């Protein structure tokens, strides 16, 4: 398990932009069974999370005309039980961190695994997610800062 001082800034990169932290299995269950669309980012300390996944997710959320109803995150190697519960919802996809999943009415409709993140720029991750948002999300408009 990683120390809190190490993961806190990486968590804040998402939570400061409206992502809800899922810290317990019960919170995961509640969030992933919500009606509508839910974006889940399994965050990580790795370089591909810092360089591509987190920036790509934020670009997508801030630049898409349609966005998920709920933005959620949990942290691999820190929120152990919550991540284990989240991964149960991601089957048949193997455990992956980072990972980005879009749920609609409790079912995975779009998945980006680590091997799809590694070596790719944040802009590519964002474009992939924006396309998924346009396909599965409602007409929510993001306020531009």
């Amino acid at each position: 398990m990683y120390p809190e001082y190490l993961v806190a800034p990486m968590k804040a990169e998402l939570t400061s932009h409206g992502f809800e932290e899922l810290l317990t299995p019960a919170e995961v269950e509640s969030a992933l069974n919500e009606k509508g669309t839910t974006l889940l980012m399994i965050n990580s300390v790795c370089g591909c999370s810092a360089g591509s996944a987190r920036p790509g997710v934020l670009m997508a959320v801030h630049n898409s005309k349609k966005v998920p109803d709920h933005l959620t995150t949990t942290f691999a190697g820190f929120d152990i039980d919550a991540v284990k519960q989240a991964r149960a919802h991601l089957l048949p996809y193997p455990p992956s961190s980072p990972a980005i999943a879009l749920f609609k009415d409790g079912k995975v409709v779009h998945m980006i695994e680590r091997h799809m993140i590694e070596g790719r720029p944040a802009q590519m991750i964002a474009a992939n997610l924006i396309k998924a948002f346009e396909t599965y999300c409602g007409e929510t408009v993001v306020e531009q800062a």
Side-chain angles (χ1 to χ4, degrees), residues 74-123:
T74 192
F75 207 100
F78 191 79
D79 303 322
I80 305 296
D81 294 333
V83 169
K84 182 178 178 181
Q85 190 68 31
R87 287 180 171 157
H89 286 268
L90 297 175
L91 293 172
Y93 296 100
S96 174
S97 57
I100 307 160
L102 182 62
F103 290 79
K104 184 163 188 167
D105 298 330
K107 306 270 190 242
V108 176
V109 293
H110 189 75
M111 181 73 176
I112 301 176
E113 300 172 81
R114 179 186 178 107
H115 71 88
M116 301 164 76
I117 296 168
E118 289 177 307
R120 289 171 179 81
Q123 295 84 351

Side-chain angles (χ1 to χ4, degrees), residues 2-12 43 45 75-78:
Y2 296 109
E4 185 172 358
Y5 74 86
L6 181 67
V7 301
M10 296 174 211
K11 286 180 163 215
N43 206 345
V45 298
F75 207 100
F78 191 79

